[in-house]
Amino acid sequence: MSELTPDLEALKQASTADLLDAIEALLKISVRPCTTAHEPARLPWSSIIEIPSVFQVRGEHTDERHATALFDVLKRENDLRPVTVWRCGEGAVLLDGHHRLHAYKRMQGRSRVAEGVPVVWFRGNLDDAIKAAAEANNEVKLPLNTHQRMNLGWRLVVLDRYSKKETAKMAGISERTVANMRTVRKTLELSGVGRDELPLNWWRASKEARRLDAREERLDYEDFKLPIPMKPPLCSEMIAPPVSGMISPPV
C-alpha cells in the first residue's frame, strides 16, 4: 500500500477532529499549491474524505432509514445523484451527499461500485465550501429538522466567520435567532469559556448560558439588597412585667 502524502495524512486526521481543530487543518491545507488539476467524473468511495464536524450539517450521525432508502434505490438503478466534493490540497473532501456515499459504501463488492461514485467538483475557498455544504440542504429530499438547523446555526456562530444574514440563510433560521446565539456565545466567553471549549450543541450551550445568567442575577441581588429592618416591638412587649410576689394596688 502506498504511503499517504502529507496532505492526505492531515485530511485523514481532520476527518476525526472536532470542529475548530478540523477548520485549522483545512485552512493550512487549502492554501497550499494544488499539485493536480484532474477532476474525474467518478471517484473510488475510499478516496472521498468525510470531515463530519465541518461539513455534515445534519450532525455527525447518519440517518440509517434515509441511507437504507438510498441503498434500495441504488440496487434498482444504475446510480444516485452525484455527490459534491471539494479539492483541498491533494484530497477530495465531501461537501454534500453523505447519505449517498454511505449507500455506495454498502454496495462494496458489487461491480457497480468498482466504477466509482459519481461526483461534481466545487471550486472555492474554505468559507465558500462551508457555505455550499450548508446551502445544499435547501434542495435535498430530507430537509433539516429544527434541531439540526439550530445546531448548524450555533456551529456557524462559534466559527464566527459569517455575517448574521449569511448565517441565518445558511442554517435556515431567523436573524433574530442568530443574534440570540451570538449573545449566548458572548455570555459563555465572558464567563471564561475558551473558544475551543464552547459546546457544539445549541441546547447545551443555551442551558449553560441561562445558568450563568441566573447566577449573575443572584450575585447582583446579594450585593445590592437592603438590610431587612427589625420588626418593631408590640405594645405588650414594651410594658415591664410585674415583679414576682407584688400585687398592684387597686385604682
Side-chain angles (χ1 to χ4, degrees):
M1 180 182 295
S2 60
E3 294 185 1
L4 294 176
T5 65
D7 278 1
L8 293 177
E9 180 62 36
L11 287 172
K12 181 180 178 182
Q13 294 177 5
S15 68
T16 57
D18 60 24
L19 177 64
L20 297 180
D21 288 340
I23 288 289
E24 183 179 356
L26 290 170
L27 281 171
K28 291 179 179 178
I29 299 168
S30 62
V31 297
R32 296 173 187 166
C34 183
T35 59
T36 177
H38 184 47
E39 296 181 349
R42 304 184 81 93
L43 288 172
W45 66 262
S46 57
S47 69
I48 300 175
I49 301 168
E50 296 180 81
I51 305 183
S53 64
V54 179
F55 297 114
Q56 193 160 355
V57 299
R58 300 177 186 281
E60 299 182 30
H61 302 289
T62 301
D63 185 314
E64 289 298 331
R65 288 183 298 178
H66 187 48
T68 298
L70 290 172
F71 176 67
D72 291 338
V73 172
L74 184 57
K75 286 190 296 185
R76 296 193 305 268
E77 308 292 339
N78 289 328
D79 268 324
L80 296 176
R81 185 161 55 91
V83 302
T84 303
V85 295
W86 169 56
R87 176 68 72 190
C88 185
E90 298 177 5
V93 177
L94 183 66
L95 298 188
D96 177 51
H98 290 80
H99 288 86
R100 277 167 277 156
L101 182 62
H102 190 76
Y104 277 97
K105 287 181 179 181
R106 291 176 63 175
M107 289 285 287
Q108 59 181 312
R110 305 189 182 212
S111 58
R112 190 176 305 153
V113 175
E115 300 173 3
V117 179
V119 300
V120 292
W121 293 84
F122 175 81
R123 297 178 183 178
N125 59 27
L126 175 59
D127 286 340
D128 295 333
I130 294 173
K131 284 184 182 180
E135 293 174 353
N137 286 275
N138 292 328
E139 302 176 358
V140 295
K141 295 182 180 179
L142 183 65
L144 297 179
N145 59 38
T146 300
H147 183 86
Q148 292 167 333
R149 289 198 306 272
M150 297 295 281
N151 275 337
L152 171 58
W154 171 245
R155 285 161 52 196
L156 294 173
V157 167
V158 170
L159 286 179
D160 196 21
R161 301 175 69 88
Y162 305 99
S163 70
K164 182 167 62 177
K165 184 176 182 179
E166 287 175 323
T167 300
K169 181 179 179 182
M170 292 162 66
I173 57 180
S174 69
E175 292 185 32
R176 182 177 179 179
T177 298
V178 175
N180 182 40
M181 289 179 171
R182 289 181 171 184
T183 300
V184 167
R185 186 191 67 194
K186 183 177 180 180
T187 298
L188 295 177
E189 289 176 341
L190 289 176
S191 74
V193 179
R195 184 167 178 263
D196 58 344
E197 298 172 328
L198 290 170
L200 297 182
N201 179 283
W202 162 241
W203 278 268
R204 190 176 302 129
S206 59
K207 181 179 179 181
E208 177 63 14
R210 288 195 301 271
R211 185 187 70 80
L212 291 170
D213 284 340
R215 179 184 175 187
E216 189 67 25
E217 289 176 4
R218 287 196 301 272
L219 291 175
D220 288 345
Y221 176 75
E222 292 296 330
D223 288 340
F224 296 106
K225 69 180 182 179
L226 296 175
I228 300 175
M230 294 181 63
K231 183 177 68 173
L234 299 174
C235 292
S236 59
E237 294 173 337
M238 299 174 66
I239 301 175
V243 178
S244 176
M246 296 182 63
I247 303 174
S248 300
V251 178

mmCIF file of all heavy atoms in Angstrom, residues 199-245:
data_model
loop_
_atom_site.group_PDB
_atom_site.id
_atom_site.type_symbol
_atom_site.label_atom_id
_atom_site.label_comp_id
_atom_site.label_asym_id
_atom_site.label_seq_id
_atom_site.Cartn_x
_atom_site.Cartn_y
_atom_site.Cartn_z
ATOM 1 N N PRO A 199 -19.512 24.533 23.867
ATOM 2 C CA PRO A 199 -20.299 23.363 23.452
ATOM 3 C C PRO A 199 -20.727 23.504 22.000
ATOM 4 O O PRO A 199 -21.044 24.609 21.554
ATOM 5 C CB PRO A 199 -21.512 23.396 24.388
ATOM 6 C CG PRO A 199 -21.128 24.306 25.512
ATOM 7 C CD PRO A 199 -20.161 25.290 24.947
ATOM 8 N N LEU A 200 -20.759 22.408 21.255
ATOM 9 C CA LEU A 200 -21.174 22.464 19.857
ATOM 10 C C LEU A 200 -22.633 22.072 19.678
ATOM 11 O O LEU A 200 -23.120 21.983 18.564
ATOM 12 C CB LEU A 200 -20.263 21.578 19.008
ATOM 13 C CG LEU A 200 -18.793 22.020 18.977
ATOM 14 C CD1 LEU A 200 -17.977 21.106 18.074
ATOM 15 C CD2 LEU A 200 -18.679 23.471 18.532
ATOM 16 N N ASN A 201 -23.297 21.833 20.801
ATOM 17 C CA ASN A 201 -24.743 21.568 20.791
ATOM 18 C C ASN A 201 -25.459 22.812 21.290
ATOM 19 O O ASN A 201 -25.153 23.324 22.379
ATOM 20 C CB ASN A 201 -25.048 20.364 21.690
ATOM 21 C CG ASN A 201 -26.529 20.051 21.756
ATOM 22 O OD1 ASN A 201 -27.288 20.729 22.447
ATOM 23 N ND2 ASN A 201 -26.945 19.018 21.046
ATOM 24 N N TRP A 202 -26.392 23.342 20.488
ATOM 25 C CA TRP A 202 -27.038 24.599 20.829
ATOM 26 C C TRP A 202 -27.791 24.535 22.140
ATOM 27 O O TRP A 202 -27.709 25.438 22.974
ATOM 28 C CB TRP A 202 -27.976 25.036 19.708
ATOM 29 C CG TRP A 202 -28.980 26.068 20.121
ATOM 30 C CD1 TRP A 202 -30.332 25.970 20.109
ATOM 31 C CD2 TRP A 202 -28.693 27.382 20.641
ATOM 32 N NE1 TRP A 202 -30.913 27.127 20.592
ATOM 33 C CE2 TRP A 202 -29.926 28.007 20.918
ATOM 34 C CE3 TRP A 202 -27.508 28.076 20.902
ATOM 35 C CZ2 TRP A 202 -30.016 29.288 21.442
ATOM 36 C CZ3 TRP A 202 -27.599 29.370 21.425
ATOM 37 C CH2 TRP A 202 -28.841 29.955 21.682
ATOM 38 N N TRP A 203 -28.536 23.457 22.386
ATOM 39 C CA TRP A 203 -29.333 23.384 23.596
ATOM 40 C C TRP A 203 -28.441 23.304 24.838
ATOM 41 O O TRP A 203 -28.762 23.863 25.875
ATOM 42 C CB TRP A 203 -30.300 22.202 23.515
ATOM 43 C CG TRP A 203 -31.522 22.583 22.738
ATOM 44 C CD1 TRP A 203 -32.695 23.086 23.233
ATOM 45 C CD2 TRP A 203 -31.683 22.564 21.319
ATOM 46 N NE1 TRP A 203 -33.571 23.367 22.217
ATOM 47 C CE2 TRP A 203 -32.990 23.053 21.035
ATOM 48 C CE3 TRP A 203 -30.872 22.171 20.266
ATOM 49 C CZ2 TRP A 203 -33.487 23.161 19.744
ATOM 50 C CZ3 TRP A 203 -31.350 22.285 18.973
ATOM 51 C CH2 TRP A 203 -32.645 22.768 18.713
ATOM 52 N N ARG A 204 -27.323 22.616 24.722
ATOM 53 C CA ARG A 204 -26.401 22.549 25.852
ATOM 54 C C ARG A 204 -25.786 23.921 26.127
ATOM 55 O O ARG A 204 -25.645 24.338 27.271
ATOM 56 C CB ARG A 204 -25.303 21.527 25.564
ATOM 57 C CG ARG A 204 -24.428 21.195 26.774
ATOM 58 C CD ARG A 204 -23.421 20.113 26.436
ATOM 59 N NE ARG A 204 -24.085 18.909 25.979
ATOM 60 C CZ ARG A 204 -23.776 18.265 24.854
ATOM 61 N NH1 ARG A 204 -22.815 18.721 24.068
ATOM 62 N NH2 ARG A 204 -24.415 17.168 24.512
ATOM 63 N N ALA A 205 -25.441 24.637 25.046
ATOM 64 C CA ALA A 205 -24.843 25.965 25.203
ATOM 65 C C ALA A 205 -25.835 26.958 25.810
ATOM 66 O O ALA A 205 -25.495 27.726 26.716
ATOM 67 C CB ALA A 205 -24.359 26.471 23.841
ATOM 68 N N SER A 206 -27.081 26.948 25.310
ATOM 69 C CA SER A 206 -28.077 27.889 25.822
ATOM 70 C C SER A 206 -28.437 27.580 27.275
ATOM 71 O O SER A 206 -28.666 28.497 28.073
ATOM 72 C CB SER A 206 -29.339 27.861 24.949
ATOM 73 O OG SER A 206 -29.911 26.559 24.909
ATOM 74 N N LYS A 207 -28.460 26.308 27.639
ATOM 75 C CA LYS A 207 -28.741 25.930 29.028
ATOM 76 C C LYS A 207 -27.640 26.439 29.953
ATOM 77 O O LYS A 207 -27.918 26.962 31.041
ATOM 78 C CB LYS A 207 -28.862 24.405 29.133
ATOM 79 C CG LYS A 207 -29.173 23.909 30.536
ATOM 80 C CD LYS A 207 -29.300 22.387 30.564
ATOM 81 C CE LYS A 207 -29.594 21.888 31.967
ATOM 82 N NZ LYS A 207 -29.701 20.401 31.993
ATOM 83 N N GLU A 208 -26.392 26.318 29.517
ATOM 84 C CA GLU A 208 -25.280 26.791 30.332
ATOM 85 C C GLU A 208 -25.312 28.309 30.465
ATOM 86 O O GLU A 208 -25.040 28.865 31.535
ATOM 87 C CB GLU A 208 -23.956 26.349 29.703
ATOM 88 C CG GLU A 208 -22.703 26.834 30.418
ATOM 89 C CD GLU A 208 -22.570 26.300 31.831
ATOM 90 O OE1 GLU A 208 -23.295 25.354 32.191
ATOM 91 O OE2 GLU A 208 -21.732 26.838 32.584
ATOM 92 N N ALA A 209 -25.671 29.025 29.378
ATOM 93 C CA ALA A 209 -25.764 30.483 29.428
ATOM 94 C C ALA A 209 -26.872 30.918 30.393
ATOM 95 O O ALA A 209 -26.706 31.890 31.141
ATOM 96 C CB ALA A 209 -26.013 31.046 28.031
ATOM 97 N N ARG A 210 -28.001 30.217 30.379
ATOM 98 C CA ARG A 210 -29.094 30.552 31.310
ATOM 99 C C ARG A 210 -28.658 30.338 32.758
ATOM 100 O O ARG A 210 -29.000 31.125 33.645
ATOM 101 C CB ARG A 210 -30.344 29.716 30.995
ATOM 102 C CG ARG A 210 -31.061 30.125 29.730
ATOM 103 C CD ARG A 210 -32.457 29.528 29.669
ATOM 104 N NE ARG A 210 -32.433 28.072 29.714
ATOM 105 C CZ ARG A 210 -32.344 27.299 28.643
ATOM 106 N NH1 ARG A 210 -32.254 27.848 27.435
ATOM 107 N NH2 ARG A 210 -32.343 25.985 28.757
ATOM 108 N N ARG A 211 -27.901 29.281 32.967
ATOM 109 C CA ARG A 211 -27.401 29.014 34.318
ATOM 110 C C ARG A 211 -26.481 30.143 34.785
ATOM 111 O O ARG A 211 -26.564 30.605 35.927
ATOM 112 C CB ARG A 211 -26.653 27.679 34.346
ATOM 113 C CG ARG A 211 -26.208 27.250 35.740
ATOM 114 C CD ARG A 211 -25.333 26.010 35.684
ATOM 115 N NE ARG A 211 -24.031 26.325 35.103
ATOM 116 C CZ ARG A 211 -23.027 26.895 35.774
ATOM 117 N NH1 ARG A 211 -23.187 27.219 37.050
ATOM 118 N NH2 ARG A 211 -21.883 27.133 35.177
ATOM 119 N N LEU A 212 -25.619 30.606 33.898
ATOM 120 C CA LEU A 212 -24.695 31.691 34.239
ATOM 121 C C LEU A 212 -25.453 32.999 34.483
ATOM 122 O O LEU A 212 -25.124 33.760 35.391
ATOM 123 C CB LEU A 212 -23.665 31.873 33.126
ATOM 124 C CG LEU A 212 -22.650 30.733 32.971
ATOM 125 C CD1 LEU A 212 -21.845 30.896 31.692
ATOM 126 C CD2 LEU A 212 -21.722 30.685 34.180
ATOM 127 N N ASP A 213 -26.475 33.263 33.652
ATOM 128 C CA ASP A 213 -27.279 34.474 33.835
ATOM 129 C C ASP A 213 -27.997 34.458 35.177
ATOM 130 O O ASP A 213 -28.056 35.469 35.881
ATOM 131 C CB ASP A 213 -28.301 34.606 32.706
ATOM 132 C CG ASP A 213 -27.659 35.078 31.402
ATOM 133 O OD1 ASP A 213 -26.555 35.653 31.462
ATOM 134 O OD2 ASP A 213 -28.265 34.867 30.337
ATOM 135 N N ALA A 214 -28.552 33.305 35.545
ATOM 136 C CA ALA A 214 -29.261 33.187 36.822
ATOM 137 C C ALA A 214 -28.297 33.387 37.986
ATOM 138 O O ALA A 214 -28.614 34.036 38.988
ATOM 139 C CB ALA A 214 -29.941 31.820 36.921
ATOM 140 N N ARG A 215 -27.108 32.848 37.854
ATOM 141 C CA ARG A 215 -26.093 33.011 38.897
ATOM 142 C C ARG A 215 -25.704 34.478 39.038
ATOM 143 O O ARG A 215 -25.555 34.992 40.147
ATOM 144 C CB ARG A 215 -24.870 32.162 38.551
ATOM 145 C CG ARG A 215 -23.731 32.275 39.558
ATOM 146 C CD ARG A 215 -22.527 31.492 39.089
ATOM 147 N NE ARG A 215 -21.402 31.680 39.982
ATOM 148 C CZ ARG A 215 -20.181 31.221 39.742
ATOM 149 N NH1 ARG A 215 -19.937 30.549 38.622
ATOM 150 N NH2 ARG A 215 -19.202 31.436 40.592
ATOM 151 N N GLU A 216 -25.554 35.178 37.916
ATOM 152 C CA GLU A 216 -25.195 36.591 37.933
ATOM 153 C C GLU A 216 -26.291 37.417 38.605
ATOM 154 O O GLU A 216 -26.019 38.338 39.373
ATOM 155 C CB GLU A 216 -24.966 37.090 36.500
ATOM 156 C CG GLU A 216 -24.381 38.487 36.411
ATOM 157 C CD GLU A 216 -22.963 38.572 36.935
ATOM 158 O OE1 GLU A 216 -22.262 37.539 36.928
ATOM 159 O OE2 GLU A 216 -22.572 39.678 37.362
ATOM 160 N N GLU A 217 -27.551 37.061 38.312
ATOM 161 C CA GLU A 217 -28.661 37.786 38.938
ATOM 162 C C GLU A 217 -28.666 37.590 40.446
ATOM 163 O O GLU A 217 -28.912 38.522 41.207
ATOM 164 C CB GLU A 217 -29.984 37.312 38.337
ATOM 165 C CG GLU A 217 -30.211 37.775 36.902
ATOM 166 C CD GLU A 217 -31.474 37.201 36.314
ATOM 167 O OE1 GLU A 217 -32.196 36.512 37.062
ATOM 168 O OE2 GLU A 217 -31.744 37.442 35.125
ATOM 169 N N ARG A 218 -28.355 36.373 40.894
ATOM 170 C CA ARG A 218 -28.317 36.112 42.333
ATOM 171 C C ARG A 218 -27.204 36.913 42.992
ATOM 172 O O ARG A 218 -27.365 37.466 44.078
ATOM 173 C CB ARG A 218 -28.139 34.611 42.592
ATOM 174 C CG ARG A 218 -29.369 33.781 42.314
ATOM 175 C CD ARG A 218 -29.259 32.402 42.948
ATOM 176 N NE ARG A 218 -28.119 31.659 42.468
ATOM 177 C CZ ARG A 218 -28.138 30.876 41.390
ATOM 178 N NH1 ARG A 218 -29.262 30.759 40.685
ATOM 179 N NH2 ARG A 218 -27.067 30.215 41.013
ATOM 180 N N LEU A 219 -26.042 36.974 42.338
ATOM 181 C CA LEU A 219 -24.919 37.727 42.886
ATOM 182 C C LEU A 219 -25.251 39.210 42.972
ATOM 183 O O LEU A 219 -24.929 39.881 43.956
ATOM 184 C CB LEU A 219 -23.673 37.507 42.023
ATOM 185 C CG LEU A 219 -23.063 36.103 42.083
ATOM 186 C CD1 LEU A 219 -21.915 35.989 41.091
ATOM 187 C CD2 LEU A 219 -22.565 35.788 43.492
ATOM 188 N N ASP A 220 -25.891 39.755 41.934
ATOM 189 C CA ASP A 220 -26.281 41.154 41.941
ATOM 190 C C ASP A 220 -27.252 41.441 43.088
ATOM 191 O O ASP A 220 -27.159 42.462 43.767
ATOM 192 C CB ASP A 220 -26.938 41.532 40.603
ATOM 193 C CG ASP A 220 -25.912 41.592 39.478
ATOM 194 O OD1 ASP A 220 -24.714 41.631 39.785
ATOM 195 O OD2 ASP A 220 -26.327 41.591 38.305
ATOM 196 N N TYR A 221 -28.173 40.529 43.311
ATOM 197 C CA TYR A 221 -29.156 40.723 44.380
ATOM 198 C C TYR A 221 -28.469 40.735 45.741
ATOM 199 O O TYR A 221 -28.760 41.566 46.594
ATOM 200 C CB TYR A 221 -30.205 39.611 44.320
ATOM 201 C CG TYR A 221 -31.221 39.674 45.446
ATOM 202 C CD1 TYR A 221 -32.226 40.646 45.425
ATOM 203 C CD2 TYR A 221 -31.160 38.789 46.509
ATOM 204 C CE1 TYR A 221 -33.160 40.715 46.459
ATOM 205 C CE2 TYR A 221 -32.081 38.864 47.543
ATOM 206 C CZ TYR A 221 -33.081 39.818 47.514
ATOM 207 O OH TYR A 221 -33.979 39.890 48.528
ATOM 208 N N GLU A 222 -27.508 39.825 45.935
ATOM 209 C CA GLU A 222 -26.803 39.769 47.209
ATOM 210 C C GLU A 222 -25.986 41.038 47.437
ATOM 211 O O GLU A 222 -25.830 41.494 48.559
ATOM 212 C CB GLU A 222 -25.881 38.540 47.240
ATOM 213 C CG GLU A 222 -26.620 37.203 47.273
ATOM 214 C CD GLU A 222 -27.424 37.040 48.553
ATOM 215 O OE1 GLU A 222 -27.011 37.589 49.585
ATOM 216 O OE2 GLU A 222 -28.474 36.376 48.510
ATOM 217 N N ASP A 223 -25.450 41.622 46.372
ATOM 218 C CA ASP A 223 -24.616 42.814 46.502
ATOM 219 C C ASP A 223 -25.428 44.062 46.823
ATOM 220 O O ASP A 223 -24.958 44.959 47.529
ATOM 221 C CB ASP A 223 -23.833 43.053 45.201
ATOM 222 C CG ASP A 223 -22.727 42.030 45.034
ATOM 223 O OD1 ASP A 223 -22.344 41.412 46.050
ATOM 224 O OD2 ASP A 223 -22.257 41.839 43.893
ATOM 225 N N PHE A 224 -26.631 44.154 46.283
ATOM 226 C CA PHE A 224 -27.368 45.407 46.350
ATOM 227 C C PHE A 224 -28.641 45.366 47.205
ATOM 228 O O PHE A 224 -29.272 46.401 47.386
ATOM 229 C CB PHE A 224 -27.741 45.872 44.932
ATOM 230 C CG PHE A 224 -26.538 46.181 44.105
ATOM 231 C CD1 PHE A 224 -26.131 45.329 43.092
ATOM 232 C CD2 PHE A 224 -25.791 47.329 44.335
ATOM 233 C CE1 PHE A 224 -25.015 45.615 42.328
ATOM 234 C CE2 PHE A 224 -24.678 47.619 43.572
ATOM 235 C CZ PHE A 224 -24.280 46.762 42.574
ATOM 236 N N LYS A 225 -29.025 44.231 47.745
ATOM 237 C CA LYS A 225 -30.269 44.202 48.513
ATOM 238 C C LYS A 225 -30.099 44.957 49.840
ATOM 239 O O LYS A 225 -29.019 44.948 50.438
ATOM 240 C CB LYS A 225 -30.718 42.761 48.764
ATOM 241 C CG LYS A 225 -29.828 41.970 49.727
ATOM 242 C CD LYS A 225 -30.367 40.575 49.899
ATOM 243 C CE LYS A 225 -29.525 39.765 50.886
ATOM 244 N NZ LYS A 225 -30.056 38.411 51.079
ATOM 245 N N LEU A 226 -31.149 45.630 50.290
ATOM 246 C CA LEU A 226 -31.121 46.404 51.530
ATOM 247 C C LEU A 226 -31.285 45.480 52.723
ATOM 248 O O LEU A 226 -31.934 44.434 52.634
ATOM 249 C CB LEU A 226 -32.249 47.440 51.515
ATOM 250 C CG LEU A 226 -32.151 48.514 50.431
ATOM 251 C CD1 LEU A 226 -33.400 49.381 50.458
ATOM 252 C CD2 LEU A 226 -30.902 49.372 50.637
ATOM 253 N N PRO A 227 -30.693 45.865 53.850
ATOM 254 C CA PRO A 227 -30.891 45.013 55.035
ATOM 255 C C PRO A 227 -32.354 45.007 55.446
ATOM 256 O O PRO A 227 -33.058 46.026 55.337
ATOM 257 C CB PRO A 227 -30.022 45.695 56.107
ATOM 258 C CG PRO A 227 -29.883 47.107 55.634
ATOM 259 C CD PRO A 227 -29.860 47.033 54.135
ATOM 260 N N ILE A 228 -32.819 43.887 55.923
ATOM 261 C CA ILE A 228 -34.212 43.756 56.346
ATOM 262 C C ILE A 228 -34.382 44.455 57.699
ATOM 263 O O ILE A 228 -33.666 44.124 58.650
ATOM 264 C CB ILE A 228 -34.613 42.277 56.467
ATOM 265 C CG1 ILE A 228 -34.442 41.591 55.108
ATOM 266 C CG2 ILE A 228 -36.049 42.133 56.984
ATOM 267 C CD1 ILE A 228 -34.688 40.103 55.145
ATOM 268 N N PRO A 229 -35.282 45.446 57.800
ATOM 269 C CA PRO A 229 -35.439 46.159 59.081
ATOM 270 C C PRO A 229 -36.002 45.237 60.158
ATOM 271 O O PRO A 229 -36.747 44.300 59.879
ATOM 272 C CB PRO A 229 -36.423 47.278 58.736
ATOM 273 C CG PRO A 229 -37.187 46.764 57.554
ATOM 274 C CD PRO A 229 -36.208 45.932 56.769
ATOM 275 N N MET A 230 -35.619 45.539 61.428
ATOM 276 C CA MET A 230 -36.136 44.749 62.541
ATOM 277 C C MET A 230 -37.610 45.061 62.760
ATOM 278 O O MET A 230 -38.051 46.201 62.588
ATOM 279 C CB MET A 230 -35.344 45.066 63.814
ATOM 280 C CG MET A 230 -33.884 44.625 63.768
ATOM 281 S SD MET A 230 -33.037 45.001 65.311
ATOM 282 C CE MET A 230 -33.981 43.985 66.431
ATOM 283 N N LYS A 231 -38.349 44.057 63.129
ATOM 284 C CA LYS A 231 -39.767 44.250 63.394
ATOM 285 C C LYS A 231 -39.945 45.052 64.684
ATOM 286 O O LYS A 231 -39.334 44.712 65.700
ATOM 287 C CB LYS A 231 -40.447 42.891 63.516
ATOM 288 C CG LYS A 231 -41.949 42.965 63.714
ATOM 289 C CD LYS A 231 -42.557 41.586 63.752
ATOM 290 C CE LYS A 231 -42.119 40.839 65.004
ATOM 291 N NZ LYS A 231 -42.805 39.547 65.165
ATOM 292 N N PRO A 232 -40.740 46.149 64.667
ATOM 293 C CA PRO A 232 -40.926 46.936 65.902
ATOM 294 C C PRO A 232 -41.608 46.097 66.968
ATOM 295 O O PRO A 232 -42.445 45.232 66.661
ATOM 296 C CB PRO A 232 -41.817 48.097 65.451
ATOM 297 C CG PRO A 232 -42.514 47.596 64.229
ATOM 298 C CD PRO A 232 -41.537 46.671 63.561
ATOM 299 N N PRO A 233 -41.269 46.324 68.238
ATOM 300 C CA PRO A 233 -41.884 45.514 69.314
ATOM 301 C C PRO A 233 -43.352 45.858 69.480
ATOM 302 O O PRO A 233 -43.780 46.976 69.193
ATOM 303 C CB PRO A 233 -41.077 45.909 70.545
ATOM 304 C CG PRO A 233 -40.561 47.280 70.228
ATOM 305 C CD PRO A 233 -40.311 47.279 68.747
ATOM 306 N N LEU A 234 -44.100 44.881 69.923
ATOM 307 C CA LEU A 234 -45.512 45.096 70.221
ATOM 308 C C LEU A 234 -45.657 45.922 71.495
ATOM 309 O O LEU A 234 -44.744 45.965 72.338
ATOM 310 C CB LEU A 234 -46.223 43.754 70.380
ATOM 311 C CG LEU A 234 -46.203 42.828 69.145
ATOM 312 C CD1 LEU A 234 -46.814 41.482 69.512
ATOM 313 C CD2 LEU A 234 -46.942 43.472 67.993
ATOM 314 N N CYS A 235 -46.818 46.574 71.646
ATOM 315 C CA CYS A 235 -47.053 47.396 72.837
ATOM 316 C C CYS A 235 -46.925 46.567 74.106
ATOM 317 O O CYS A 235 -46.401 47.010 75.127
ATOM 318 C CB CYS A 235 -48.427 48.044 72.774
ATOM 319 S SG CYS A 235 -48.531 49.301 71.459
ATOM 320 N N SER A 236 -47.448 45.345 74.019
ATOM 321 C CA SER A 236 -47.408 44.482 75.199
ATOM 322 C C SER A 236 -45.988 44.156 75.605
ATOM 323 O O SER A 236 -45.686 43.892 76.755
ATOM 324 C CB SER A 236 -48.195 43.199 74.936
ATOM 325 O OG SER A 236 -47.627 42.523 73.816
ATOM 326 N N GLU A 237 -45.094 44.164 74.611
ATOM 327 C CA GLU A 237 -43.714 43.849 74.908
ATOM 328 C C GLU A 237 -42.991 45.028 75.544
ATOM 329 O O GLU A 237 -41.914 44.892 76.106
ATOM 330 C CB GLU A 237 -43.000 43.424 73.634
ATOM 331 C CG GLU A 237 -43.533 42.125 73.063
ATOM 332 C CD GLU A 237 -42.932 41.820 71.715
ATOM 333 O OE1 GLU A 237 -42.474 42.774 71.051
ATOM 334 O OE2 GLU A 237 -42.908 40.648 71.325
ATOM 335 N N MET A 238 -43.584 46.264 75.416
ATOM 336 C CA MET A 238 -42.965 47.464 75.960
ATOM 337 C C MET A 238 -43.325 47.684 77.421
ATOM 338 O O MET A 238 -42.747 48.526 78.110
ATOM 339 C CB MET A 238 -43.379 48.686 75.139
ATOM 340 C CG MET A 238 -42.944 48.612 73.677
ATOM 341 S SD MET A 238 -43.572 49.968 72.697
ATOM 342 C CE MET A 238 -42.693 51.346 73.434
ATOM 343 N N ILE A 239 -44.341 46.993 77.977
ATOM 344 C CA ILE A 239 -44.759 47.133 79.384
ATOM 345 C C ILE A 239 -43.966 46.151 80.213
ATOM 346 O O ILE A 239 -43.939 44.955 79.919
ATOM 347 C CB ILE A 239 -46.261 46.867 79.538
ATOM 348 C CG1 ILE A 239 -47.051 47.856 78.666
ATOM 349 C CG2 ILE A 239 -46.688 46.944 80.993
ATOM 350 C CD1 ILE A 239 -48.533 47.607 78.662
ATOM 351 N N ALA A 240 -43.312 46.652 81.205
ATOM 352 C CA ALA A 240 -42.490 45.782 82.058
ATOM 353 C C ALA A 240 -43.381 44.793 82.789
ATOM 354 O O ALA A 240 -44.459 45.160 83.283
ATOM 355 C CB ALA A 240 -41.709 46.630 83.069
ATOM 356 N N PRO A 241 -43.007 43.560 82.847
ATOM 357 C CA PRO A 241 -43.800 42.571 83.580
ATOM 358 C C PRO A 241 -43.775 42.871 85.068
ATOM 359 O O PRO A 241 -42.821 43.468 85.574
ATOM 360 C CB PRO A 241 -43.083 41.262 83.271
ATOM 361 C CG PRO A 241 -41.687 41.655 82.965
ATOM 362 C CD PRO A 241 -41.757 43.003 82.337
ATOM 363 N N PRO A 242 -44.822 42.504 85.769
ATOM 364 C CA PRO A 242 -44.863 42.754 87.220
ATOM 365 C C PRO A 242 -43.796 41.966 87.946
ATOM 366 O O PRO A 242 -43.400 40.889 87.528
ATOM 367 C CB PRO A 242 -46.278 42.290 87.611
ATOM 368 C CG PRO A 242 -46.644 41.292 86.546
ATOM 369 C CD PRO A 242 -45.998 41.795 85.290
ATOM 370 N N VAL A 243 -43.311 42.586 89.063
ATOM 371 C CA VAL A 243 -42.304 41.908 89.863
ATOM 372 C C VAL A 243 -42.960 40.757 90.611
ATOM 373 O O VAL A 243 -44.064 40.869 91.142
ATOM 374 C CB VAL A 243 -41.659 42.878 90.898
ATOM 375 C CG1 VAL A 243 -40.631 42.137 91.765
ATOM 376 C CG2 VAL A 243 -41.039 44.036 90.161
ATOM 377 N N SER A 244 -42.304 39.638 90.627
ATOM 378 C CA SER A 244 -42.869 38.447 91.241
ATOM 379 C C SER A 244 -43.184 38.708 92.713
ATOM 380 O O SER A 244 -42.363 39.279 93.457
ATOM 381 C CB SER A 244 -41.864 37.293 91.093
ATOM 382 O OG SER A 244 -42.349 36.154 91.751
ATOM 383 N N GLY A 245 -44.350 38.320 93.140
ATOM 384 C CA GLY A 245 -44.758 38.440 94.548
ATOM 385 C C GLY A 245 -45.409 39.750 94.911
ATOM 386 O O GLY A 245 -45.882 39.931 96.022
#
